[in-house]
Amino acid sequence: MLAQVRIVFLTVLCLSTCGALSAQANCLTATGSAPCIDKIDPPNWWATFPSPMLLLHGNHLSGAAVSITGSHVSVTRTHASANGHYLFVWLDTTTAAPQTLTLRVSNSSGSTSRLWQLDQRKPASAGFQGFSSRDVMYLIMTDRFADGDTSNDPHPSQRSLPRGWHGGDFRGIEQHLDYLKQLGITTIWTTPVYDNTGGTQDYHGYSATNMYAVDPHFGTLADYIALARAVHADGMKLVLDTVPNHVGAANPWAKDPPTPDWFHGTVAHHDAANGDFASLTDPHASWAQQKDIRQGWFANVLPDLNQENPLVSQYLIQNAVWWIETAGLDGLRLDTFPYVSRVFWHNFHAELHQLFPHLTTVGEVFNPDPTIVSYFAGGVARPGHEGAVDTGLYTPFDFPLYFMLRKVLIQNQPMSNLENVLRQDRLYPHPNRLVTFIGNHDTMRFLTVPGATIPDLKMAFALISALRGMPQIYSGDEIAMRGGNDPDNRHDFPGGFPGDPANAFTAAGRTPEQASVHDYLSTLLHFRAQHPALQTGLQQDIYMDNTVFAFVRADDIAQGCTPSSPERVLVIANHSTSPRSLTLSTPETALAGCSQFTPVLGAPPATPANGSLTMQLAPDQTAIYLVH
């Protein structure tokens, strides 16, 4: 999901006059009454996968007979739309081997045939690894990161337009993988790559007009597959942003849906989406309170897909499977997660886990309340309108911590307020999986929030690098980029585009401020990668007051140090403009009996004595110690 302001411009799109996309125009304008096919979704499939449902688009498909030529493949049933523009075809490929099939559609006026491929699955080594708290995720808006192929740029240039296409593409990302590795990134999350053709300002990718094609501004499908291979060759992982909740306002389905109930409502008659998720978690709420969350059109303009329709549900699940297998994806970021029914998410994840056992997913639940965000985490069946259902979601983003970090670090609320979020980790089946962050493409840049400083930003990075969960970095935050609300928070990465006056991808091209933040974060991330306690260790919060928050990460925090206990990491953040003399009491904590406190990354010495630990903290300092 993008911030609500990101899509206001879509209300001016001419839903009544945009017309069908060129991919569909061939059949809809053809003469004669013989069947015509101009699109098959999915465009291919894989042997050993569950038998697919095909969605054909064209004309004169109502009442047509369908046959398929191939070995151990058959058509089990079909269903056509009333206007003959769509034909659903169910195949049985249970025992089929990889092969090229011939699909034939005929009526009394003639017939048409299309080749369709049943492929061999990719080897496990092609990807499918899943992300975890051992990783560090980096969010890239493809159009705003780097322009590696100017041949797919818009002409004339739109770089001066805040909502225009600026030229970033898959090759641009691929050309800067070394930069990401050097920073300490292990997982790349890109915003959606769907084709958004037909819209005027859909550079972000969240307004799909063809869910089985990449947008030509980003390159080709071959370019995307090449990017995935390069990411994996460099030992990193690739996560794709997917949007089962809605499609773009210019999607041909908006005017001509495959079934009458393909969407919740129509262009002319629909409800606007309600973003207050509290009623979904309330066992006493009525369906009237919940309906517009699940069935409203996002921003009142994006057609809301009806996942309760089994045809829609199967289409969307197959679409996710197709992208994962095509590119060897390691995970998915699931947009607008609460707006979609729990039953759909349960079925979605059940299919994905069957086919890709290691694949993981992270869901967007844009809300500051842990009681709400935790409701959507997988691993437990939560009661709701559909009954008690487990969404299957690997983890949600930790929006509650995001909101609280900004409050304590920028608005100078007490640092002890962090515990108000962290103590509610009990609500999550797997709090260690939470994805922590300080900003993304839907929020004002950290440094643009009134009152934010460079020391605040560095402390924010230190905390998400050390707290439980997996840190996510938004492209540009590592070089102290500024930007207000959407679209001001989506400026081009400096140096990624022809003619840029400076290149922040290189050390020589960074300003002193950019270098200071970049190098600090890189040091933190590489330190994190070297110490498993910061990746998978448990967390114990041992001290907090108005300006200080201290915690320990260790594989075993049930007792203090023993000769055989694993390494512990102590982290103390002093969010004060003045030095702090701090004495921590260690008995009956994870530091009990520990005698060695080795300062790292510029931390001051720490003196243990008689069950206490004393150190002198500098202003705005995050001190880290290796403990034995």
Side-chain angles (χ1 to χ4, degrees):
M1 167 181 159
L2 299 174
Q4 299 238 350
V5 293
R6 75 165 169 83
I7 317 177
V8 172
F9 71 89
L10 283 172
T11 58
V12 302
L13 286 179
C14 49
L15 283 172
S16 61
T17 60
C18 283
L21 296 179
S22 58
Q24 297 186 359
N26 294 337
C27 282
L28 297 185
T29 60
T31 59
S33 55
C36 181
I37 302 171
D38 53 34
K39 191 171 188 286
I40 301 178
D41 293 341
N44 62 288
W45 201 240
W46 292 270
T48 73
F49 272 14
S51 296
M53 174 192 78
L54 309 186
L55 177 57
L56 282 56
H57 178 270
N59 209 354
H60 307 300
L61 301 178
S62 182
V66 182
S67 62
I68 194 161
T69 301
S71 177
H72 297 283
V73 179
S74 61
V75 175
T76 60
R77 62 187 175 108
T78 64
H79 172 76
S81 61
N83 63 8
H85 294 167
Y86 296 96
L87 180 63
F88 293 89
V89 178
W90 285 265
L91 301 181
D92 182 355
T93 59
T94 306
T95 60
Q99 59 190 293
T100 301
L101 306 171
T102 302
L103 189 70
R104 183 179 181 85
V105 180
S106 56
N107 63 16
S108 59
S109 299
S111 65
T112 186
S113 298
R114 291 290 184 273
L115 297 179
W116 193 78
Q117 191 71 26
L118 197 62
D119 289 319
Q120 180 72 42
R121 286 202 64 178
K122 283 184 168 62
S125 59
F128 319 113
Q129 302 173 71
F131 55 82
S132 71
S133 61
R134 293 179 175 85
D135 291 301
V136 178
M137 182 179 285
Y138 188 85
L139 164 57
I140 292 176
M141 292 202 78
T142 303
D143 182 66
R144 303 302 166 89
F145 187 64
D147 186 354
D149 180 2
T150 57
S151 69
N152 55 40
D153 292 357
H155 297 287
S157 173
Q158 298 180 10
R159 284 196 68 192
S160 62
L161 303 177
R163 296 189 187 275
W165 292 90
H166 290 190
D169 48 38
F170 301 139
R171 292 187 185 179
I173 299 173
E174 184 176 350
Q175 291 166 6
H176 293 92
L177 294 182
D178 284 348
Y179 167 80
L180 298 177
K181 287 186 66 177
Q182 291 164 7
L183 180 61
I185 302 303
T186 66
T187 301
I188 299 170
W189 154 30
T190 70
T191 46
V193 302
Y194 304 128
D195 187 2
N196 280 222
T197 301
T200 57
Q201 300 174 333
D202 297 336
Y203 67 93
H204 43 69
Y206 291 90
S207 294
T209 52
N210 183 350
M211 296 184 72
Y212 277 100
V214 301
D215 195 286
H217 293 91
F218 300 148
T220 65
L221 180 60
D223 291 332
Y224 185 64
I225 294 172
L227 169 62
R229 288 173 177 163
V231 167
H232 292 138
D234 273 349
M236 294 190 287
K237 303 172 183 179
L238 186 61
V239 171
L240 178 63
D241 208 323
T242 53
V243 193
N245 177 60
H246 60 259
V247 294
N251 193 300
W253 290 343
K255 292 176 59 181
D256 183 21
T259 68
D261 60 347
W262 196 255
F263 298 116
H264 292 122
T266 66
V267 173
H269 301 287
H270 62 264
D271 296 326
N274 173 11
D276 182 1
F277 309 139
S279 65
L280 295 178
T281 70
D282 182 357
H284 309 295
S286 68
W287 176 239
Q289 294 171 282
Q290 301 175 348
K291 179 181 178 182
D292 287 349
I293 304 172
R294 292 286 171 77
Q295 298 188 1
W297 287 31
F298 194 71
N300 202 26
V301 70
L302 297 184
D304 191 74
L305 290 160
N306 176 16
Q307 298 85 8
E308 291 76 35
N309 179 337
L311 302 179
V312 176
S313 178
Q314 186 169 357
Y315 183 95
L316 293 172
I317 293 172
Q318 287 185 172
N319 182 254
V321 168
W322 186 86
W323 283 104
I324 294 166
E325 182 68 22
T326 295
L329 297 175
D330 300 288
L332 299 177
R333 184 263 188 179
L334 302 174
D335 185 69
T336 46
F337 196 82
Y339 295 88
V340 178
S341 77
R342 296 177 70 85
V343 169
F344 171 78
W345 287 128
H346 175 85
N347 296 336
F348 178 91
H349 283 106
E351 181 94 338
L352 265 56
H353 292 158
Q354 177 186 353
L355 299 176
F356 312 103
H358 302 295
L359 182 119
T360 49
T361 56
V362 56
E364 180 207 32
V365 186
F366 203 128
N367 195 279
D369 186 347
T371 68
I372 292 176
V373 175
S374 62
Y375 174 79
F376 298 96
V380 62
R382 308 280 194 188
H385 176 72
E386 308 99 326
V389 179
D390 182 349
T391 64
L393 180 68
Y394 180 77
T395 185
F397 286 98
D398 195 351
F399 272 92
L401 185 63
Y402 151 80
F403 281 102
M404 187 56 72
L405 282 170
R406 290 195 170 198
K407 288 178 179 179
V408 300
L409 297 180
I410 300 176
Q411 300 175 17
N412 293 317
Q413 291 190 10
M415 287 287 279
S416 57
N417 283 0
L418 287 173
E419 189 66 10
N420 292 337
V421 171
L422 294 168
R423 66 182 174 81
Q424 297 186 74
D425 277 2
R426 69 188 187 281
L427 301 172
Y428 298 92
H430 303 287
N432 56 303
R433 297 177 180 177
L434 286 165
V435 177
T436 60
F437 63 104
I438 63 169
N440 64 25
H441 57 318
D442 291 330
T443 67
M444 182 181 292
R445 291 276 187 180
F446 186 96
L447 285 175
T448 304
V449 179
T453 65
I454 292 292
D456 294 337
L457 177 62
K458 289 183 174 180
M459 184 167 290
F461 279 142
L463 287 171
I464 67 167
S465 297
L467 288 166
R468 89 291 182 262
M470 178 183 75
Q472 173 247 298
I473 310 299
Y474 175 33
S475 171
D477 279 351
E478 78 274 19
I479 54 167
M481 282 184 71
R482 272 77 168 177
N485 291 321
D486 170 20
D488 192 49
N489 56 351
R490 301 172 180 180
H491 292 299
D492 300 340
F493 196 99
F497 298 80
D500 282 358
N503 184 4
F505 284 115
T506 67
R510 297 179 199 126
T511 67
E513 179 185 82
Q514 290 173 338
S516 173
V517 174
H518 173 278
D519 295 349
Y520 181 72
L521 176 60
S522 181
T523 299
L524 287 169
L525 297 184
H526 284 285
F527 179 79
R528 183 181 190 275
Q530 296 163 5
H531 297 278
L534 293 178
Q535 303 167 37
T536 59
L538 300 173
Q539 178 175 320
Q540 186 179 98
D541 304 332
I542 61 172
Y543 183 83
M544 67 260 346
D545 63 20
N546 282 349
T547 63
V548 169
F549 191 84
F551 59 95
V552 178
R553 297 290 307 278
D555 289 338
D556 178 10
I557 58 173
Q559 58 183 353
C561 290
T562 67
S564 61
S565 61
E567 178 185 78
R568 292 152 197 264
V569 180
L570 169 64
V571 181
I572 308 171
N574 173 36
H575 188 245
S576 171
T577 56
S578 302
R580 278 287 304 265
S581 177
L582 184 67
T583 298
L584 300 178
S585 177
T586 59
E588 300 181 320
T589 73
L591 299 179
C594 302
S595 59
Q596 298 180 34
F597 294 84
T598 304
V600 295
L601 308 184
T607 305
N610 302 319
S612 66
L613 183 69
T614 302
M615 71 283 296
Q616 299 291 326
L617 297 170
D620 288 313
Q621 182 175 36
T622 303
I624 301 177
Y625 302 87
L626 299 180
V627 182
H628 295 89

